[in-house]
Amino acid sequence: MGGSTADALRAKVRGEVIAPQDTGYDEARKVYNGMIDRRPAAVVRCTGTADAAAAIAVARDEGLDLSVRGGGHSAPGFGTNDGGIVIDLSPLQNVVVDKDAKTARAGGGCTWKVFNEATHASGLATTGGIIGSTGIAGLTLGGGIGYLSRKYGLSCDNLISAEVVTADGRVLVASETENDDLFWALRGGGGNFGVVTTFEYRMHPVAEIYGGPIVFPVDRADDILRFYREYIAEAPEELGGFVGFHLAPPLPFLPEEWHFKNVCLAVLCWTGPIEEGEKRVQPFLDVVQPVGAHVGAMPYPALNVAFDELLPPGLQHYWKASFARELGDGAVAVHAEHGAKVPSIQTAVHLYPIDGAVQRVGADDTAFAYRDQGFSPVIAGMWENPADNADNIAWVRGYYEALLPYSAQGGYIGFMDGDDQSRIQDNYRGNYDRLAAVKTKYDPGNLFHVNQNIKPAA
Ligand SMILES: Cc1cc2nc3c(=O)[nH]c(=O)nc-3n(C[C@H](O)[C@H](O)[C@H](O)COP(=O)(O)OP(=O)(O)OC[C@H]3O[C@@H](n4cnc5c(N)ncnc54)[C@H](O)[C@@H]3O)c2cc1C
């Protein structure tokens, strides 16, 4: 089966086709989450739209599972499968910036590091993820929360158009004026509707920022969270960032006695006039005496990759998330208790603000439905040793369950795990039926089902 599928693909695509017997197969089948150990029949390294269309045709004709991989970061490992075909878009990393029009077109295999570095050369940026190695594709299609979202909206709010290969092999443009139903669904609906080979974004004049991490003793977490919820509610939208819980990494700006100790932190990104940055960040430094801080002026792409080395590929991942309308005292108490027990140096608990420009888009203007929430908390369990899986998963679940009384029913699909499929309708609230209708129109056979899956109508 594997051989014949690979042969069928090789006859049709220009890019590399990697089958189980080929050198490099074990690398090619891997995704970012080291817990995922799947053996597809073939991985197709697409060189362009035509390769994606050809791989879609083979998967459809042979009735095989089809995974679409952008950056490969999804915690559930949707970028690979057992026995099917993987469309690997990593060769598509081209970024073309139109400085005057303030737009950028990028290939579906770009990471935020590649994208930000390319657009920074023109003094422009758009909302992207906080880690450079994450794919622009999966992040944008899920919504896209980042340092710039308070000022400029979600990544998907900055999408102008997308080139999409659909299940029947058509190559469509989706925008406000072409295939607008598909364009609506792509902005939050995930990978359900086709393979996006090109993303076109609205860009903004963001080059230098003022910010960085501030680390606090975890026993003052109550004070930090209460301060954060008040400060962020009033802060200019140029102030982005998040608060959260970690173990202190062994970095030079932190005293050695704090290394690997539980801490609370804030990571801030001020995109207004650089000379105002110190004033905007200072209140965080005044709440309680920080353990250490590393704030200052830096290029935006530098903040985006600042934590990449702490998160190499191959870690074990288990994630949970729900939106929260507010950060009330009950939720603060849960965070202070559970956040103080982060069990590994890579694990991250972050509370992202969902306000400002994100809320100025209507709940049914795009598929991303939770526009009225205050925060998007994520409990991102990440650790090295598979022998620690049970303990770490239990910790993530315990934290998540303790937060349920203070959480919306749905969460952000980018932060969902493989056992969250049952939450799909809650994640989209009033938009779910419309998404199912778009799915029925563009993918009636549910070829694109290796994702947080929206099922076509029966
Ligand atoms: C370390 C880390 C940091 C993160 N930080 C953030 C953050 O700051 N903000 C945020 O919003 N999210 C963040 N996320 C979550 C992230 O948005 C999701 O994991 C997202 O799915 C990653 O996209 P990807 O392309 O790397 O993943 P992949 O695993 O390649 O894809 C994820 C999903 O999108 C689909 N897909 C991928 N590419 C395409 C394409 N070109 N066309 C159609 N469908 C496609 C896949 O089929 C899959 O269903 C982070 C994740 C990690 C692991």
Side-chain angles (χ1 to χ4, degrees), residues 68 70-74 89 129-130 135 137-139 141 145 191 194 196 319 412 414 451:
V68 184
H73 266 218
S74 75
L89 297 167
I130 63 150
L139 186 139
L141 295 171
I145 300 167
V196 180
W319 292 40
Y412 171 41
N451 45 41

Side-chain angles (χ1 to χ4, degrees), residues 23-212:
T23 314
Y25 175 73
D26 279 332
E27 250 337 283
R29 70 190 180 87
K30 274 186 198 159
V31 287
Y32 188 68
N33 181 355
M35 206 184 268
I36 310 293
D37 181 18
R38 310 242 159 88
R39 304 186 65 81
V43 177
V44 183
R45 297 238 162 97
C46 292
T47 58
T49 303
D51 281 359
I56 286 172
V58 173
R60 197 186 53 226
D61 295 348
E62 295 194 10
L64 295 174
D65 281 342
L66 179 63
S67 291
V68 184
R69 189 190 303 165
H73 266 218
S74 75
F78 289 140
T80 189
N81 63 52
D82 275 325
I85 293 175
V86 174
I87 289 183
D88 175 1
L89 297 167
S90 60
L92 303 183
Q93 306 242 352
N94 201 27
V95 182
V96 179
V97 181
D98 184 332
K99 192 175 176 181
D100 296 330
K102 294 201 179 64
T103 61
R105 295 171 65 82
C110 259
T111 60
W112 286 106
K113 177 180 191 304
V114 170
F115 183 85
N116 289 335
E117 283 171 1
T119 65
H120 184 70
S122 301
L124 299 170
T126 200
T127 306
I130 63 150
I131 297 290
S133 56
T134 308
I136 65 164
L139 186 139
T140 302
L141 295 171
I145 300 167
Y147 293 118
L148 307 186
S149 43
R150 292 189 76 230
K151 174 76 177 162
Y152 298 114
L154 302 171
S155 305
C156 73
D157 299 336
N158 290 286
L159 193 63
I160 298 171
S161 72
E163 181 185 74
V164 191
V165 191
T166 50
D168 57 8
R170 284 182 300 158
V171 180
L172 303 179
V173 171
S175 70
E176 290 289 0
T177 52
E178 278 180 85
N179 302 300
D180 58 336
D181 52 353
L182 179 60
F183 186 55
W184 176 86
L186 289 177
R187 287 173 293 162
N192 276 283
F193 307 97
V195 179
V196 180
T197 43
T198 306
F199 293 81
E200 184 189 9
Y201 295 96
R202 197 170 296 116
M203 303 300 295
H204 309 281
V206 175
E208 293 289 300
I209 64 99
Y210 189 96

